[in-house]
Amino acid sequence: MKILITGACGFIGTSLSLRLKKHGLTVVGIDCLNAYYNPELKRRNAEVLRANGITLHATDLASDDFPTLDDVGVIVHLAAQPGISQTTPWEDYHRNNILATHRLLQAACAIKNLRFINIATSSVYGLDATGSEETAPKPASWYGVTKLAAEQEVLAAHRSGHLSACSLRLFSVFGERERPDKLFPRLVRALMEDSELPVFEGSLAHRRSFSYVGDICEGIASVMHKWPDAAGQIFNIGTDKSFTTGEAIETAESITGKRVKIRQLPARPGDQTVTQANIDKIRSVLGWEPRTSLRTGLESMIAWYATDIKGKFDWS
């Protein structure tokens, strides 16, 4: 079976592509390699994917013609305008989350027997993301609003019988190759390079379900393997263990034996105060369980930085 992964050169996309290829599946990737963050990081990921026999297409889902999808059995739609940014305009969120998903769905609905896995986000729940999938969405950011709209168009296509789809709401994913503007890349850089860690005011007390990327990839794979039970569903996917940002920083400090220097920034509007993944549904329906602790995931991330990044590449 051929798997198409959008956003394949991104953080989760690269990890998922390599995982599926290792398990003998044919993987094809799409990525527009835009400059939202250092495109050299994505180009490095692309080199790794190609070296592992994964075909890549440089395609902008919002404007370009797509490669042929006729022989694709599963689409995992990871491509998106990410994050809660005060500098990213609304038009970018609309273009890269709503329009791109709409155009991809138009192409996907023409393929028989296609399975479509939409990757959504806990940000659809709003400032407090602790409830089940039945909790009413209350997004508080443009990112959350547009990702919710994209998710609902995917599920509308499923409900109307145009294709078979489900949606996964991911919680605070971290790990190797993570987007460099996120907390943990900044934290690892600061500790390993003896530089400052910028922290938004009040965020040290924010709680997060910090979910290791390897577990998330296994969760996506479990959806593919148990499709009859997953089709038409929304699943929260992440760890149900929650830590404050301050506790996460202390964990990384204990691993490295260093103390980080913090530089406080103004509070960020729309930032979630609490996320704690309620995974009762995916646990009972698909039998998926996260297995990697915060400390183990950070140990892996720090080791990767020391081996693959420090002194070789500017991960910023």
Side-chain angles (χ1 to χ4, degrees):
M1 178 182 293
K2 180 180 286 188
I3 315 297
L4 175 69
I5 298 177
T6 71
C9 298
F11 159 46
I12 302 173
T14 301
S15 298
L16 179 63
S17 297
L18 293 173
R19 190 261 181 216
L20 297 178
K21 181 67 177 181
K22 182 179 178 179
H23 284 74
L25 294 171
T26 301
V27 180
V28 175
I30 283 179
D31 204 298
C32 68
L33 300 172
N34 69 17
Y36 177 73
Y37 58 89
N38 187 349
E40 182 60 28
L41 180 56
K42 285 191 173 184
R43 285 194 284 269
R44 284 168 61 93
N45 291 344
E47 290 174 5
V48 172
L49 294 178
R50 291 192 179 103
N52 281 271
I54 294 169
T55 301
L56 294 175
H57 298 277
T59 302
D60 186 332
L61 295 176
S63 60
D64 294 346
D65 293 333
F66 299 158
T68 180
L69 304 180
D70 292 344
D71 56 348
V72 171
V74 178
I75 293 177
V76 182
H77 181 37
L78 278 155
Q81 180 66 48
I84 301 171
S85 171
Q86 295 172 273
T87 59
T88 303
W90 158 260
E91 289 78 10
D92 286 4
Y93 288 107
H94 177 270
R95 180 185 190 279
N96 296 324
N97 293 344
I98 298 176
L99 177 60
T101 302
H102 173 74
R103 293 187 75 243
L104 180 61
L105 281 172
Q106 285 185 311
C109 287
I111 305 170
K112 292 183 178 179
N113 302 317
L114 179 74
R115 301 173 181 180
F116 192 105
I117 301 174
N118 180 66
I119 304 300
T121 170
S122 66
S123 291
V124 303
Y125 292 116
L127 301 180
D128 185 322
T130 57
S132 73
E133 294 84 350
E134 300 301 316
T135 303
K138 297 179 181 178
S141 65
W142 289 344
Y143 172 60
V145 168
T146 54
K147 287 293 286 181
L148 179 61
E151 176 184 78
Q152 285 304 305
E153 183 166 359
V154 171
L155 295 176
H158 175 91
R159 289 190 290 266
S160 61
H162 293 306
L163 84 170
S164 185
C166 74
S167 189
L168 309 181
R169 293 174 175 172
L170 274 51
F171 282 70
S172 301
V173 188
F174 77 98
E176 302 85 347
R177 302 186 182 89
E178 189 175 353
R179 204 173 78 232
D181 60 307
K182 299 291 290 298
L183 169 65
F184 285 162
R186 287 178 169 179
L187 173 58
V188 172
R189 281 199 309 272
L191 287 167
M192 301 293 281
E193 308 290 347
D194 295 318
S195 58
E196 290 184 328
L197 171 67
V199 173
F200 295 107
E201 182 181 356
S203 66
L204 289 177
H206 291 175
R207 300 194 68 86
R208 292 286 184 272
S209 282
F210 296 117
S211 307
Y212 183 60
V213 64
D215 288 340
I216 296 301
C217 290
E218 291 299 320
I220 296 171
S222 74
V223 170
M224 294 170 54
H225 295 152
K226 299 184 178 181
W227 188 254
D229 296 319
Q233 300 296 320
I234 295 172
F235 292 106
N236 292 336
I237 179 168
T239 178
D240 55 359
K241 306 292 190 299
S242 185
F243 297 88
T244 66
T245 299
E247 289 170 337
I249 291 172
E250 290 171 1
T251 301
E253 289 176 330
S254 72
I255 293 168
T256 61
K258 297 180 179 181
R259 294 294 300 275
V260 72
K261 295 173 284 188
I262 290 177
R263 174 169 55 89
Q264 187 166 282
L265 301 177
R268 184 170 58 171
D271 213 354
Q272 291 173 298
T273 55
V274 182
T275 74
Q276 184 161 0
N278 181 326
I279 55 173
D280 292 346
K281 182 177 179 179
I282 194 169
R283 187 180 270 142
S284 63
V285 174
L286 302 182
W288 175 79
E289 191 79 37
R291 303 188 183 280
T292 307
S293 68
L294 172 62
R295 185 180 185 89
T296 299
L298 280 173
E299 287 173 342
S300 179
M301 192 174 180
I302 290 167
W304 170 79
Y305 184 90
T307 301
D308 288 18
I309 300 297
K310 189 174 182 182
K312 301 176 183 177
F313 177 70
D314 181 15
W315 191 33
S316 62

